[in-house]
Amino acid sequence: MQSTMQDFPLTVGMIFRHGRTVHRDSEVVTFEGHKSRRATFAEVADRAQLLAAALRRLKVDVGDRVGTLAWNHQEHLEAYFAIPGIGAVLHTLNLRLFPDQLRYIINHAEDKAIIVDDSLIPLLAPMVAKLSTVEHYVVIGDGDISELTNAVADTSATVHRYGELLAAESPGYQWPEIDEYAAAAMCYTSGTTGNPKGVVYSHRSTVLHSMGVGLPAGTGFTDADRVLTIVPMFHANAWGFPYAAWFSGSDLLFPGPFLQCEPLARFIEDERPTRSAAVPTIWNDLLHHAESHHVDLSSLVQVTSGGAATPRSLIEAYQRKFGIKVVQGWGMTEISPLAAMSWAPKGTEPASDDDLDWRASSGRVLPGVELRIVDDDGTVMPWDGESVGEIQVRGPWVTGSYYRDPSPEKFSDGWLRTGDIASVTPNGFVRISDRAKDVIKSGGEWISSVELEGHLMAHDDVAEAAVIAVPDVRWSERPLACVVLKADATTSAPELRDFLRDRVPAWQLPERWTFIEAVPKTSVGKFDKKVLRAQHADELLIVEEIE
Amino acid sequence: MQSTMQDFPLTVGMIFRHGRTVHRDSEVVTFEGHKSRRATFAEVADRAQLLAAALRRLKVDVGDRVGTLAWNHQEHLEAYFAIPGIGAVLHTLNLRLFPDQLRYIINHAEDKAIIVDDSLIPLLAPMVAKLSTVEHYVVIGDGDISELTNAVADTSATVHRYGELLAAESPGYQWPEIDEYAAAAMCYTSGTTGNPKGVVYSHRSTVLHSMGVGLPAGTGFTDADRVLTIVPMFHANAWGFPYAAWFSGSDLLFPGPFLQCEPLARFIEDERPTRSAAVPTIWNDLLHHAESHHVDLSSLVQVTSGGAATPRSLIEAYQRKFGIKVVQGWGMTEISPLAAMSWAPKGTEPASDDDLDWRASSGRVLPGVELRIVDDDGTVMPWDGESVGEIQVRGPWVTGSYYRDPSPEKFSDGWLRTGDIASVTPNGFVRISDRAKDVIKSGGEWISSVELEGHLMAHDDVAEAAVIAVPDVRWSERPLACVVLKADATTSAPELRDFLRDRVPAWQLPERWTFIEAVPKTSVGKFDKKVLRAQHADELLIVEEIE
């Protein structure tokens, strides 16, 4: 029996229209270092509509991918609505990727156009010759574009100014009707072995995730909130917070490229956000800066910390010193990304030790996400706070494959295998005890240890190399390279570090090195990094630190 | 281009599983007049699973309708999950309907089974002979069932005890997979002319409505809340609050049949709800009772008032006397029902006059609902706070037709025509200036004036009759019968009232009567009730009050 309900599609346009009308006076503020630009939701919406018309004029069609290589700012938000709004696919490009990876994902996604900040042209221009599908580059900002124009000269692509494109359009663009299962946005994750894998969000998943984020179990944003999204808009759509905030009528505060403590603190004092979201590294830096510079953080009520485990001490420091509630979010690009938030359960005394303990967990499963833990034999383990297993999740905003890369080994019976090992308490709090074994999370960015190992083992003097994550106060984790040299080797740690310099981004270069006799192996001959981690924890490895 | 997201259906099962696991220790409390029964979400879920197995054993199949004629209590909640969970359709029966209407909707929906409170057997038993499709009656409670057994004796149906059915089942029933567009529940609305019309909710609409209700713009329920649902579970699924509360982990407090002030106040004092939902009549009664009896309402933080307009004076009294925030909800059975909530917008000083003014509006459009106002010519009017038009809504939890009764006149270009006339402020607050012209809302129940008129005009002495809504302190509105007698008529108001007594439920009988020379007409000859309302407001009608 069918219902009598309207067959009304869940689309990004639904989010867009709600904020545009019901919250037309909410504001979007973009920091420019010394002053801020501001616009109302109605104004941003009008500009998004002009951008949509401009993209259609450039022959961007339904299903075409449009890359964005940009910091967090108003124009990026306009692209968040305009690109899915015309039925195209918003492909956010992680500007921290190594150029080879960036080029790989642009070509793999077959981006037809790229919207790029003028300040990021130096990153993009050198690879333009190798971007085979890009027909249009749209530059945000008034900066010099000659480097890009020169690079494009040898191709059939064209370069445009964002502002000029919008100025050439008139209001009134008619948004098309869109199927809710159609692609709205995509994001590549480098958190796995091999090439980056693309996750493609649908309109439907974006709406549902926005509602999940908006629930009190997520963020509970209201129209009285001012949401400072420090987490980059190229990280799983800034954890979906811009869409959720727009849907809730919360003001949106964007820091642009000013992510260092000093300007960030100034932005916070000027614009008085009530909520924010960033990786623990940022919160750690801001804490120390605020302590030593008497920064006024009093507007902040609650901030979300995610992308890597947040130390309890950091959560406690914010609570005790500033009365700010740090709540951890857990998720991954494959989950849109939010799966859990560490709000304490009912009956917990606010700011008590219990409260801090709960908040130091990976979080409680959100409505809309289903989670189970499965042991090595495929047995579903109980939520008893002790049994451990790999976290597997399913739900309407969880990916079921990768873009042009089905990767069946990442899925099991309709569940996404996250690779994270955890226990779950009877009331649904996840405690991650071990991490996807090959990945290092540094300042919210993923470093593939397998990739580092591959490069190292390509060196003539290296017999074997295993890279493990080790705790780091500032970055949460950093790589430790464990190297087995060949018998007649003459190389050194600084030399190997230089060897890597041309192969991976600078921020991925290990500072910590140890030379060992052999990499421990499992029974089936695989590297057994658990042993290495235990040896490091027991201080059995002699670690050399270099910069 | 398709997304990579899982094709994960939005089902009532998704809500069920979340509450059952993540919030297994939240509790369901049912008031029994002098004491309360309580069960955890896990226990309720286990029982719902047993009920599901029992219904399958009774051969209730996918798509079959199962009626519930019951007050608000734990077993009704179990039915809320078990019936949709097996793919059948929860058909909540309004126990306040006139028996003829009740019989009509049971037969129209073709209910295969009815779950009934023992205390409601006297209402159901007399119509059993005329219920052509019902094969099973399941009685909740240990009361005498002989009246029902006797009535059923002449039919092929059978009578069961709810408790015995559950006791005969074992745990482990395997829930089927369900399409999200399948029917989950249905509810008949009598707010229109003619026979009641059925609205059929889908699994999808139920999940989305639950998320919309759960957002801070809706209720913002958290697991720390204790939600007292006074609004009946046969009124659009108690406004969807039981599902939303379960999804949020809020405790659920059910008053059973004890809706009078005195026991209700006792239940509130005993169980300390933080939130509640009821029609204004209940809030009005409770206010006066609490003032005169020193009732402790201090646990209540916010309550939702809906089903009829809530006077600003009532909102103010709760605010000033008890610090309780009364927020109005606006919607209708056709909208699942919630479309708007009257939380004040950002920048409003709590408890200020501004705050009360906003809260006295019909509310602000919720995320997920789209609303427009359209004038008589079909022109979409601006949201300027002044222009008025008929409210039309669309969205994933808005009906697109009626069950076996498409009623195209109720829809326009994909929008539901609500019949309510309103203006909308630029920030999305609805102010209903006029009501669907033929309907009277009395204590949250709809009275069709057209139906009363039809009966009156069937009287030999009556030439014409128009019934209009007039304000009433206790019931919000009551009918005023405006009667034109024939030249030689000898009848009186008390006699006409008696004449109606066999034709409509007692609570619909007008107390107020006026005899006029003619019913004012519009240019096309229709009754012009606006003129009558204006005459009444100007005290130009001589009104006779009788009981």
Side-chain angles (χ1 to χ4, degrees), chain A residues 47 138-142 160-169:
Chain A
R47 285 171 53 87
V138 179
V139 181
I140 297 169
D142 300 323
H160 314 264
R161 292 266 194 192
Y162 187 95
E164 290 170 5
L165 283 185
L166 267 59
E169 299 296 333

Side-chain angles (χ1 to χ4, degrees), chain A residues 486-537:
Chain A
K486 290 178 182 166
D488 54 347
T490 58
T491 192
S492 65
E495 198 180 298
L496 287 172
R497 196 165 191 274
D498 280 341
F499 177 74
L500 288 180
R501 202 178 292 276
D502 293 328
R503 292 167 174 79
V504 299
W507 61 270
Q508 294 195 0
L509 294 173
E511 301 81 14
R512 298 174 179 81
W513 296 77
T514 185
F515 293 90
I516 55 180
E517 292 197 2
V519 175
K521 308 285 194 307
T522 67
S523 57
V524 293
K526 292 184 181 175
F527 285 5
D528 195 345
K529 296 190 186 178
K530 284 201 192 83
V531 174
L532 283 175
R533 282 192 212 102
Q535 289 176 345
H536 179 260

